[in-house]
Amino acid sequence: MIERTYIIANWKMNKKIGDTESFLGALCNEQFPSHCVVGIAPSFTSLFVAHNLLSRSQTAHIGLYAQNMSQEQSGAFTGEVSLSMLAECGVENVIIGHSERRQLFGESDISIEKKLKTLLQHSTLHATLCVGETIEQRENGNTTTVLREQLTHALSHLSSEQLSRISIAYEPVWAIGTGKSASPQIAQESHAYIREVLVDLYNREQSDNIPLLYGGSVKSNTASDLLAMSDINGLLVGGASLVYEEFIKIIRTCGEKK
């Protein structure tokens, strides 16, 4: 049973170092609901300064996330960032398979599986695995098929310890950056299905202990209804997390789900 609620900010390719310092300088002085887990995924160039700021926070812990990683540990891979580099910056959790990585950069289920296995086998870091369907796949009635394929590719044959370091974010591609958010009911249906796939892959107890987050044009006026759904344990917030006041409103919504 998931007793905590996760509110994770994905800043994507936004906010330079000075912007990161200003935002986190204020966030570190906030008080969060005790069961609320807050995380920030800044750009690669801001990771180290973000770690320094967050490690000095006197309030509730704020987790440091990375937006992506290489499937390779080192070598001649120009422009890539390795797992060990992220760990050195204080990263605790890596977002893997974000819909923009799949859609814009051609990441496949196979490459996402390799990234996840690299993280799980060569570190103690946690991962947030993103899954979700396109509008064409949904309109053709293939949502469940897509979700099962994505989950099965990434999560088969993991140990109990490895599985305990994974969260899953359901991100319908048609709701990413479009301003369209899945209704709470649609989001709940997909989260419930993801939970059942996890039962099939492992068992009910392990499935029930994996946090499921919703991502897709989340805003402060939709957060409460989404978090009211029984299988939604948190939110992966994109554009709304760039505006401090909006992100704080979403975090405070977390206090309504206990």
Side-chain angles (χ1 to χ4, degrees), residues 56-73:
R56 296 198 301 267
S57 173
Q58 299 300 309
T59 61
H61 175 75
I62 301 170
L64 183 60
Y65 285 55
Q67 298 177 21
N68 187 29
M69 59 171 273
S70 173
Q71 67 189 45
E72 306 294 342
Q73 295 187 68

Side-chain angles (χ1 to χ4, degrees), residues 8-20:
I8 311 302
N10 177 16
W11 287 351
K12 308 185 181 184
M13 198 173 70
N14 295 290
K15 293 193 183 297
K16 295 183 287 187
I17 289 174
D19 304 317
T20 300

Side-chain angles (χ1 to χ4, degrees), residues 133-168:
E133 80 283 6
T134 65
I135 188 61
E136 292 81 10
Q137 289 165 336
R138 170 163 283 276
E139 290 177 346
N140 290 331
N142 294 326
T143 294
T144 56
T145 300
V146 171
L147 293 177
R148 182 172 289 275
E149 288 178 351
Q150 291 175 342
L151 291 164
T152 302
H153 263 287
L155 300 180
S156 293
H157 312 301
L158 301 183
S159 69
S160 296
E161 187 278 332
Q162 290 173 331
L163 199 63
S164 72
R165 290 191 277 136
I166 290 175
S167 301
I168 296 172

